[in-house]
């Protein structure tokens, strides 16, 4: 019998509900249970694929090609659960399917209403996700903050779920804020009381509270929260700001949250300590020996979440290499204004991430030229790979006007272009090359050293491809094509073993998104070797 944990959020957004849910997943796994995590997003978009990063942050891509909320990234990084298109459900998807069924005549004669039709669809989606994953425990995170109009149908469905599945099979966890008021030198429980009150109005009595706080919550205060919110004292879990997000599962386990949840489910599973996680991830994340500074050159730099998986992957590679990775976020337009030399001097590694549209491209190309000529370790991802091809074509192969057809549809030398199958696409949603594709690796290359395998699988999200017409010219000038998608002969990885007549320490760029598969205890091999090369040039 599957058990369900619903995670809601109160008071304000950005409390770390995703990390809390992922951490609950981790402590459930420490009990030998198989978990799956589902995220509900109350917006009306069908998926975040067409949203601007300023609106949404990173779009996380699953193996089966779903464009999803970035919380799924936390789920995959913290647990061994694999996410699929069933793990991210939006209001848009729910209404889309209810309305299509209505048009087909499936509800003939009936008035279609939020309760029960929309709520039934929500509950069905939870059950489908549960069945598809075969998990013992399904954790459902409800996006938004309690009190939002948009998330009401999801909360109502969560309330009904306990009625259908049975009291003992459903746990409600509420993530809330206990703010510190400086002038009073006190932490305050009132917002939490109100938020729990709001939940109870909807008919949900939380079984546990995760209290986000800057300060320690005293025993006395826990008693107060317990009394006012009608939650047992040992179910008031303190979640103080941590140095590393990877500490959170340990914080929850230390306070017995796993025991509390299992008692509710009436499950008896042996507990294993998260010793490896503590030693190999947390201790190293908090007390690294070395330090290295890496530039990430993007155009949504001021936004914390736009390159979330990339930042995490760099942190994972740092954990492995016993180094703190200081990430210098650089706006590519700044390079256009001030020049690469000026902006990038003294940095030990340069990473150019994915992106769309022409703005900032010339700055990225200038940064890549700098990395190539000055022998600075370089990692290019998706658009970053396309830019490194453009840079090489223009500056090494003297291909005038080399560009991507995305930026200049009539480019003289379209070294990056559309495949025939992409040319007549009208719908923007879900029509890129999405999800996992196999890639054959050439022996004796950086890629082969990193992956130690000749066939890998990585996730994609792009429309444009390397134009094979230019392969021979670029190859002649020294670019190595070390990864190919065999079925369509598409270039997936490029490398430069030498640049300007000297060996280059690390120059590799990939058409896919390795950042989606890195984990704190298993860094992605390309990031691992990139940070290692960066550390090496700092002298370690
Ligand atoms: N804009 C490029 C394309 O569509 C790259 C996409 C990306 O970096 N994710 O091919």
């Amino acid at each position: 019998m599957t058990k369900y944990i619903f995670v809601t959020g109160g008071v304000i957004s950005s409390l770390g509900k995703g990390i809390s849910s992922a951490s609950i997943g981790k402590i459930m796994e420490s009990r030998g249970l198989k978990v799956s995590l589902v995220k509900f997003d109350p917006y009306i978009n069908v998926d975040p694929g067409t949203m601007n990063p300023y609106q949404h942050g990173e779009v996380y891509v699953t193996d089966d090609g779903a464009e999803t909320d970035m919380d799924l990234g936390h789920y995959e990084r913290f647990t061994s659960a694999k996410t699929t298109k069933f793990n991210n459900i939006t209001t848009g998807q729910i209404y889309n399917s209810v309305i299509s069924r209505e048009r087909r005549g499936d509800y003939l004669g009936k008035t279609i209403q939020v309760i029960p039709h929309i709520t039934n669809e929500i509950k069905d989606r939870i059950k489908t996700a549960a069945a598809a994953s075969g998990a013992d425990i399904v954790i459902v995170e409800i996006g938004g903050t309690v009190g939002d109009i948009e998330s009401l149908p999801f909360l109502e469905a969560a309330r009904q779920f306990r009625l259908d599945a049975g009291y003992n099979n459903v746990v409600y966890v509420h993530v809330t804020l206990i703010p510190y008021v400086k002038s009073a030198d006190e932490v305050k429980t009132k917002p939490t009381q109100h938020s729990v009150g709001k939940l109870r109005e909807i008919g949900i009595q939380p079984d546990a509270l995760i209290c986000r706080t800057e300060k320690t919550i005293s025993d006395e205060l826990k008693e107060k929260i317990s009394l006012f919110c009608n939650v047992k004292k040992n179910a008031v879990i303190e979640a103080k700001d941590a140095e590393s997000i990877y500490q959170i599962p340990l914080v929850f386990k230390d306070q017995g949250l796993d025991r509390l949840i299992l008692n509710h489910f009436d499950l008896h599973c042996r507990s294993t300590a998260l010793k490896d996680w503590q030693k190999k991830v947390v201790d190293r994340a908090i007390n690294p020996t070395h330090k290295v500074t890496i530039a990430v050159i993007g155009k949504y730099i001021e936004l914390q979440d736009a390159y979330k998986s990339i930042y995490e992957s760099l942190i994972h590679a740092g954990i492995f290499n016993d180094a703190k990775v200081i990430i210098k976020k650089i706006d590519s337009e700044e390079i256009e204004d001030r020049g690469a030399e000026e902006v990038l001097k003294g940095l030990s590694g340069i990473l150019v991430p994915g992106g769309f549209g022409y703005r900032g491209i010339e700055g990225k190309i200038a940064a890549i030229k700098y990395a190539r000529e000055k022998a600075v370790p370089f990692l290019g991802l998706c658009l970053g790979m396309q830019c490194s091809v453009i840079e090489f074509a223009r500056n090494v192969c003297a291909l005038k006007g080399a560009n991507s057809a995305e930026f200049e549809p009539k480019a003289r030398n379209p070294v990056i272009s559309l495949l025939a199958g992409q040319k007549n696409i009208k719908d923007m949603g879900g029509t890129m090359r999405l999800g996992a594709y196999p890639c054959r690796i050439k022996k004796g290359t950086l890629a082969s050293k990193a992956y130690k395998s000749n066939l890998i699988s990585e996730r994609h999200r792009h429309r444009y491809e390397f134009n094979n017409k230019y392969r021979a010219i670029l190859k002649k000038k020294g670019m190595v094509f070390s990864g190919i998608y065999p079925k369509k002969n598409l270039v997936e990885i490029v490398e430069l073993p030498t640049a300007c007549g000297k060996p280059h320490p690390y120059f590799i760029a990939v058409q896919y998104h390795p950042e989606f598969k890195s984990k704190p205890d298993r860094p992605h091999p390309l990031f691992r070797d990139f940070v290692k090369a960066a550390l090496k040039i700092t002298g370690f």
Side-chain angles (χ1 to χ4, degrees), residues 186-215:
E186 265 182 63
V187 287
K188 295 290 186 187
T189 65
K190 193 70 81 193
T192 293
Q193 295 175 36
H194 280 301
S195 153
V196 171
K198 196 91 205 148
L199 253 186
R200 284 158 62 184
E201 251 173 50
I202 299 165
I204 295 175
Q205 165 64 54
D207 301 296
L209 295 177
I210 291 177
C211 300
R212 295 283 291 105
T213 172
E214 281 174 64
K215 304 273 174 188

Side-chain angles (χ1 to χ4, degrees), residues 354-356 381-383 386 406 461-464 513:
F356 296 83
L381 309 177
C382 205
L383 180 71
Q386 299 175 353
E406 178 181 5
R461 181 175 184 251
H462 55 100
R463 223 178 274 286
Y464 292 82
H513 291 276

Side-chain angles (χ1 to χ4, degrees), residues 442-460:
K442 192 174 166 179
K443 281 213 177 69
T445 59
L446 287 178
S448 133
K449 252 184 249 155
Y451 284 105
K452 295 188 179 60
S453 162
N454 47 26
L455 193 66
I456 57 148
S457 167
E458 292 280 7
R459 299 180 194 169
H460 291 247

Side-chain angles (χ1 to χ4, degrees), residues 258-296:
D258 51 341
R259 194 179 339 114
L260 195 111
I261 293 173
L262 292 190
N263 280 348
H264 181 100
F265 288 149
D266 211 6
L267 283 179
H268 306 277
C269 313
R270 248 196 33 196
S271 173
T272 42
L274 292 166
K275 275 217 186 82
D276 260 14
W277 186 264
Q278 166 93 53
K279 267 210 289 226
K280 290 194 188 140
V281 177
V282 175
D283 291 351
R284 279 160 164 251
I286 295 176
N287 292 311
T289 314
H290 310 298
K291 212 163 58 187
V292 64
T293 307
I294 288 187
V296 173

Side-chain angles (χ1 to χ4, degrees), residues 282-452:
V282 175
D283 291 351
R284 279 160 164 251
I286 295 176
N287 292 311
T289 314
H290 310 298
K291 212 163 58 187
V292 64
T293 307
I294 288 187
V296 173
I297 313 216
K299 67 174 172 182
Y300 309 107
I301 282 305
E302 63 283 17
L303 200 80
Q304 267 290 27
D305 288 343
Y307 305 108
K308 189 72 188 164
S309 293
I310 294 175
Y311 298 152
E312 289 307 313
S313 302
L314 286 170
I315 291 170
H316 304 162
I319 290 173
F320 182 89
N321 286 295
D322 195 16
K324 180 175 175 58
V325 177
I326 300 162
I327 300 170
K328 190 149 184 229
K329 302 168 183 171
I330 295 173
D331 188 331
S332 53
E333 285 175 298
E334 196 189 330
I335 299 178
E336 290 170 14
D337 296 341
R338 292 173 50 219
E341 184 89 38
E342 176 82 15
V343 182
L344 300 173
K345 210 162 52 205
L347 296 170
S348 309
I350 294 174
L351 187 152
V352 176
F356 296 83
Y358 186 59
R359 184 171 69 83
I361 291 298
E362 294 302 331
K364 291 182 182 177
I365 293 174
I368 296 167
K369 181 169 188 274
Y370 177 88
R372 178 175 59 78
E373 292 179 344
K374 304 280 180 210
V376 182
F378 167 74
L379 178 61
L381 309 177
C382 205
L383 180 71
M385 180 265 202
Q386 299 175 353
C387 287
S388 65
V389 168
I390 297 170
E391 192 279 320
F392 194 76
R394 283 185 192 172
N395 301 324
V396 180
C397 308
L399 288 166
K400 290 233 162 54
N403 215 337
S404 163
E406 178 181 5
F407 315 134
E408 214 187 319
K410 295 208 159 44
R412 200 159 135 198
N413 285 300
V415 287
I416 305 294
S417 63
L418 279 182
L419 288 183
Q422 281 282 351
K423 282 193 179 145
N424 294 319
I425 284 173
K426 296 272 179 306
D427 273 355
M428 293 306 276
T431 54
M432 285 188 261
R433 175 142 85 106
L434 287 167
Y437 284 85
C439 170
R440 190 165 298 288
I441 305 285
K442 192 174 166 179
K443 281 213 177 69
T445 59
L446 287 178
S448 133
K449 252 184 249 155
Y451 284 105
K452 295 188 179 60

Side-chain angles (χ1 to χ4, degrees), residues 152-197:
L152 270 175
F154 291 114
L155 292 169
E156 169 60 15
R159 179 195 69 80
Q160 293 174 15
F161 212 91
R162 182 176 258 178
L163 218 60
D164 302 349
Y167 181 85
N168 276 333
N169 296 321
V170 174
V171 160
Y172 300 112
V173 177
H174 189 54
V175 183
T176 178
L177 178 71
I178 308 287
Y180 169 67
V181 178
K182 206 169 165 198
S183 56
D185 190 24
E186 265 182 63
V187 287
K188 295 290 186 187
T189 65
K190 193 70 81 193
T192 293
Q193 295 175 36
H194 280 301
S195 153
V196 171

